[in-house]
Amino acid sequence: MTDPSPPTKDRLLEAAEHLFASRGFDEVSIRELAAAAGVNIAAVNYHFQGKENLFHEVCARRFSAQRDRTLQALEALQKESNPPPTLAMVIRTLVNEYLEGTLAADGGPGFLMAVSRELHEPEACDRGAMFKNMIQPVFSSFSSALQNVAPQLDPDQMTWIIASIVGQIHHFIMRWVKKEAMDPQNETYGIMLRIFPVLGEPLPVYIEQVTDHITRFTTAAITGMNREESA
Amino acid sequence: MTDPSPPTKDRLLEAAEHLFASRGFDEVSIRELAAAAGVNIAAVNYHFQGKENLFHEVCARRFSAQRDRTLQALEALQKESNPPPTLAMVIRTLVNEYLEGTLAADGGPGFLMAVSRELHEPEACDRGAMFKNMIQPVFSSFSSALQNVAPQLDPDQMTWIIASIVGQIHHFIMRWVKKEAMDPQNETYGIMLRIFPVLGEPLPVYIEQVTDHITRFTTAAITGMNREESA
DNA sequence: AGAGAAATTAAACAACCGTTTGAATTGTGT
DNA sequence: ACACAATTCAAACGGTTGTTTAATTTCTCT
């Protein structure tokens, strides 16, 4: 069973991941998928029982990869207790893993955009299960990590704070319009973003700068809200 | 020229605004549009030279309405100088206008989602002109309002801060899944959102609560970042 | 009233979609 | 080597899409 070229199903998954990420679900036909994978058109329905199912499998693969990556980073941060992690470090870890994982992956921000649209459509996919299996674990882990470094944090506020963080992250991801590898040796940090400034031309920035900003902004917000409440 | 029933073009625009907002661009055919407007199928191409153009006109209408609404609110806030507006009030004004204008409108969050997808696709629409005419004015007005209440604010940071605010707003809008008029007399505040909590079931909240959170979060972030810098 | 532009109509068009069919091919276990 | 299942294949199916056509109706102006 040592196939030199991977089986049809895997090649289809790989091609689908790339095409769906770069062009969205509706915009890519199964004829394109089959051509890109070098397989017959009927293979999609034979192996996945329809285009929709193939898309769901691709989503599940990438979601779980992103989830595992983030959980691992948060876990590692919790373990290294010398020096103990700070609030800013916990936030930075989540933001960094989210941005890097989403932008460095094949297709860049396209996949997040494709899946976010699908998530808000009719009950095509089981959003409840998707959320419970993919998103909830990350939320829980991040939430408890936050509690550790900011014990005074009101648990009721946790949901709101996480929403504000995720909102910022998604917004910056959606604004990524160009992918340029500046330094071949460290290409992750070469991915660039052009955000629209208040005035003037779009501004090219690095992932690092975005991580820095969200971390500083969010850390200041959390500590500030605490200070305000105890006053 | 006192037509009792509006001309074909207007009825088409109205039906298109509703349908595009609730189901997206791809998911609604021009046959549905024509049927909903009670006109012939060919009317779309006769009056708008294609489905795409009709969508752009709908977008332009709603974008400019949202822009005018927000600009007006910010302007009004600047004029009433007794008591002079605070940082929190400026932020609250932008957030409130954005949320109310987007969610109370026909189709609710659907339109923002439909247009945000379109904005990131190939050069179908002139994003440069769209940004310059629709978004840039609001950014400028909001930016100068912020400068007035927080003169120490670094202009270079303004772009980042606005991005963080807009990111939060969009995220909460996207999470709106249900529209319920709780109080017929004040139906705007009856629109509800179900955000995914860290644990447990989706939580129904009011627009007011979202506005409060974003305002407090952002205000604390800005003042906190300032404090941190001057330390 | 009548000529000419504008608007509306039913019908057809060509292209593409996701899926299915049934035969041909490849792989597997005995 | 043989029977049988799993897979691949070219071809076609039924349906929908956005757009166009050409005839007809409605409106406008002299």
Side-chain angles (χ1 to χ4, degrees):
Chain A
M1 287 298 172
T2 55
D3 283 3
S5 74
T8 302
K9 193 170 180 180
D10 289 350
R11 277 198 288 160
L12 216 33
L13 268 173
E14 198 171 342
E17 180 160 347
H18 177 70
L19 282 176
F20 282 146
S22 61
R23 311 237 319 274
F25 179 76
D26 290 323
E27 301 303 317
V28 43
S29 65
I30 68 174
R31 281 168 177 83
E32 289 180 87
L33 287 171
V39 304
N40 190 272
I41 318 170
V44 173
N45 282 276
Y46 179 79
H47 287 284
F48 297 97
Q49 301 90 31
K51 182 186 176 188
E52 198 99 6
N53 244 307
L54 170 58
F55 182 68
H56 292 335
E57 291 217 22
V58 170
C59 286
R61 274 208 332 178
R62 279 187 75 145
F63 258 93
S64 60
Q66 180 73 25
R67 174 200 58 193
D68 295 341
R69 176 195 174 116
T70 309
L71 285 179
Q72 195 175 326
L74 287 173
E75 198 176 321
L77 183 68
Q78 294 290 81
K79 277 187 181 149
E80 56 165 90
S81 48
N82 193 16
T86 64
L87 173 60
M89 282 168 67
V90 171
I91 295 170
R92 172 177 296 274
T93 299
L94 179 82
V95 174
N96 186 59
E97 289 304 313
Y98 211 137
L99 285 176
E100 298 269 3
T102 306
L103 292 170
D106 190 21
F111 183 77
L112 179 70
M113 288 164 55
V115 79
S116 86
R117 179 162 62 91
E118 198 73 6
L119 273 178
H120 291 85
E121 271 182 5
E123 302 289 345
C125 59
D126 188 348
R127 283 177 291 194
M130 174 81 90
F131 175 72
K132 186 178 172 188
N133 296 329
M134 302 298 175
I135 304 175
Q136 189 98 261
V138 176
F139 276 14
S140 295
S141 176
F142 179 65
S143 177
S144 67
L146 269 191
Q147 283 281 5
N148 285 346
V149 296
Q152 77 288 2
L153 213 53
D154 182 0
D156 288 345
Q157 283 191 337
M158 199 64 83
T159 298
W160 293 94
I161 289 174
I162 292 180
S164 280
I165 298 173
V166 174
Q168 291 178 78
I169 296 173
H170 280 188
H171 189 250
F172 281 105
I173 289 175
M174 304 262 201
R175 286 291 173 86
W176 243 277
V177 293
K178 208 171 182 182
K179 200 176 176 184
E180 293 170 356
M182 305 298 291
D183 179 359
Q185 284 192 308
N186 189 7
E187 86 150 29
T188 303
Y189 287 128
I191 300 173
M192 288 172 67
L193 159 79
R194 297 185 183 273
I195 61 175
F196 287 121
V198 177
L199 293 172
E201 286 300 303
L203 176 71
V205 299
Y206 292 96
I207 284 190
E208 255 187 338
Q209 294 179 258
V210 177
T211 307
D212 281 346
H213 164 72
I214 298 182
T215 302
R216 294 207 320 127
F217 189 90
T218 303
T219 305
I222 293 177
T223 59
M225 287 167 86
N226 276 336
R227 187 173 2 231
E228 169 195 313
E229 249 173 19
S230 62
Chain B
M1 284 297 170
T2 57
D3 284 1
S5 75
T8 302
K9 193 170 179 178
D10 289 350
R11 278 197 289 158
L12 217 33
L13 267 174
E14 198 170 343
E17 180 159 349
H18 176 70
L19 282 176
F20 281 147
S22 60
R23 311 238 317 275
F25 179 76
D26 290 323
E27 301 303 316
V28 42
S29 65
I30 67 174
R31 281 167 178 83
E32 289 180 86
L33 287 170
V39 304
N40 190 272
I41 318 170
V44 173
N45 283 277
Y46 180 78
H47 287 285
F48 298 95
Q49 300 92 31
K51 182 187 176 187
E52 198 99 7
N53 243 308
L54 170 57
F55 182 68
H56 292 335
E57 291 218 19
V58 170
C59 286
R61 276 210 327 180
R62 279 187 74 146
F63 258 93
S64 60
Q66 180 73 24
R67 175 200 58 193
D68 294 342
R69 175 196 175 114
T70 309
L71 285 180
Q72 194 174 327
L74 286 172
E75 198 177 321
L77 182 69
Q78 294 290 80
K79 275 186 182 150
E80 54 166 90
S81 49
N82 193 16
T86 64
L87 173 61
M89 284 169 67
V90 171
I91 294 170
R92 173 176 295 274
T93 299
L94 178 82
V95 174
N96 186 58
E97 289 304 313
Y98 211 136
L99 284 176
E100 297 270 3
T102 306
L103 292 170
D106 189 23
F111 183 77
L112 179 69
M113 288 164 55
V115 77
S116 86
R117 179 163 62 91
E118 198 72 7
L119 274 178
H120 291 86
E121 271 181 6
E123 304 288 346
C125 58
D126 189 348
R127 284 177 290 195
M130 173 81 89
F131 175 73
K132 186 178 173 187
N133 296 328
M134 302 297 176
I135 303 175
Q136 189 98 262
V138 176
F139 275 16
S140 294
S141 176
F142 179 66
S143 177
S144 67
L146 268 190
Q147 284 280 6
N148 285 346
V149 296
Q152 77 287 2
L153 213 54
D154 182 1
D156 287 345
Q157 283 192 337
M158 199 64 83
T159 298
W160 293 95
I161 290 174
I162 292 180
S164 281
I165 298 174
V166 174
Q168 291 178 78
I169 295 174
H170 280 188
H171 189 250
F172 280 106
I173 289 175
M174 303 262 201
R175 286 289 172 87
W176 242 277
V177 293
K178 208 172 181 182
K179 200 175 176 184
E180 294 170 357
M182 305 297 293
D183 179 0
Q185 284 191 309
N186 191 5
E187 85 150 30
T188 302
Y189 287 128
I191 300 173
M192 289 171 67
L193 160 78
R194 297 183 184 275
I195 61 175
F196 286 121
V198 177
L199 292 172
E201 287 299 302
L203 177 71
V205 299
Y206 294 97
I207 284 190
E208 254 186 340
Q209 295 178 257
V210 177
T211 306
D212 280 346
H213 165 71
I214 298 181
T215 302
R216 295 209 316 129
F217 189 91
T218 303
T219 306
I222 293 176
T223 59
M225 287 166 86
N226 276 337
R227 186 171 3 229
E228 169 195 314
E229 249 173 19
S230 62

